Amino acid sequence: MAMALRALGYKVGDQVAAELLFDDWNEGRFDRIIDLCREADAFQDIPFSLDRTFVEMDKAFPGSKFVLTVRDSPEDWFESLTRFHTKIMGCDGLPTAKDMANFNYRAEGWFLKAHLAILKINEEQIYDRDIYLAHYNAYNQKVIDYFRDRPDDFMLLNVGDDDAAERLCNFLGRPGKLQAMPHENQSKQ
């Protein structure tokens, strides 16, 4: 998504700076997240992909546009997530809580702490398919319900759809500016 937005001329926010505001999100403090948003046109991933953030951003920036990206199915999302995490942590199999705790992503332990807080789980529930799928479905439904009557402000987008680039361009008022959705962080063989 970031590549597509950049190709469309948007300044995409600093992902590292955003992820380092995870504790603010976790404590329900959005002031610094909102301040960060003044530095760019578009943002993605943590903390913007987390519960409550879309509501706070909507209040802070009326008239903004929101895109919720989805996969073909929740199972596809889970498989992609676990493949990607296994790849970036260099694990032979599904990462364990210990792997996550030792993985120095933004800081040592950050990755595990984020998973536990976002999903409201304990270490024994790491990568529990049912929990992750329920979270994915509940979050997506919450966002869809929030924006239900606001088609000018919200778009549900499967970036794998053949017409994803066209739909995104039309939604953002930039028709024909992108021929296909770029794909980075590919983890599927």
Side-chain angles (χ1 to χ4, degrees):
M1 191 63 169
M3 289 176 67
L5 293 169
R6 283 186 191 103
L8 291 171
Y10 291 99
K11 180 181 178 188
V12 177
D14 181 342
Q15 188 60 42
V16 174
E19 288 176 346
L20 291 173
L21 294 175
F22 177 78
D23 288 335
D24 289 41
W25 170 85
N26 196 30
E27 295 166 10
R29 295 182 288 117
F30 289 90
D31 292 351
R32 293 191 317 163
I33 298 169
I34 290 167
D35 287 344
L36 179 66
C37 289
R38 299 185 202 298
E39 298 176 11
D41 303 314
F43 294 86
Q44 64 167 12
D45 217 341
I46 290 175
F48 302 98
S49 60
L50 303 179
D51 195 26
R52 301 185 320 264
T53 307
F54 62 93
V55 175
E56 296 299 325
M57 297 306 104
D58 189 36
K59 287 193 279 189
F61 301 100
S64 294
K65 293 193 176 276
F66 294 82
V67 178
L68 175 61
T69 58
V70 296
R71 299 289 179 139
D72 289 334
S73 72
E75 291 78 14
D76 285 349
W77 166 80
F78 182 75
E79 294 303 321
S80 176
L81 176 83
T82 56
R83 269 193 317 272
F84 182 64
H85 289 176
T86 300
K87 178 181 172 183
I88 65 171
M89 283 187 246
C91 298
D92 290 331
L94 206 53
T96 65
K98 184 177 178 183
D99 295 327
M100 294 170 88
N102 292 330
F103 182 54
N104 194 356
Y105 179 65
R106 295 294 174 228
E108 192 169 318
W110 185 95
F111 207 76
L112 176 63
K113 180 176 78 170
H115 270 258
L116 299 178
I118 292 165
L119 295 155
K120 298 175 178 61
I121 59 174
N122 61 48
E123 291 184 10
E124 291 76 38
Q125 296 169 310
I126 294 294
Y127 298 116
D128 180 302
R129 176 184 288 275
D130 293 337
I131 292 171
Y132 279 64
L133 294 178
H135 175 81
Y136 175 86
N137 288 326
Y139 173 78
N140 287 352
Q141 193 59 55
K142 186 181 252 186
V143 175
I144 291 165
D145 289 346
Y146 180 83
F147 289 106
R148 181 166 310 283
D149 299 320
R150 297 173 52 194
D152 292 339
D153 299 335
F154 173 73
M155 167 182 222
L156 182 68
L157 182 68
N158 182 335
V159 294
D161 286 349
D162 292 340
D163 66 345
E166 178 184 0
R167 290 183 57 235
L168 179 64
C169 289
N170 290 339
F171 175 69
L172 296 174
R174 297 181 182 206
K177 299 289 184 188
L178 190 63
Q179 299 307 309
M181 290 297 289
H183 192 174
E184 85 181 326
N185 295 332
Q186 217 165 351
S187 62
K188 200 171 194 175
Q189 299 296 335

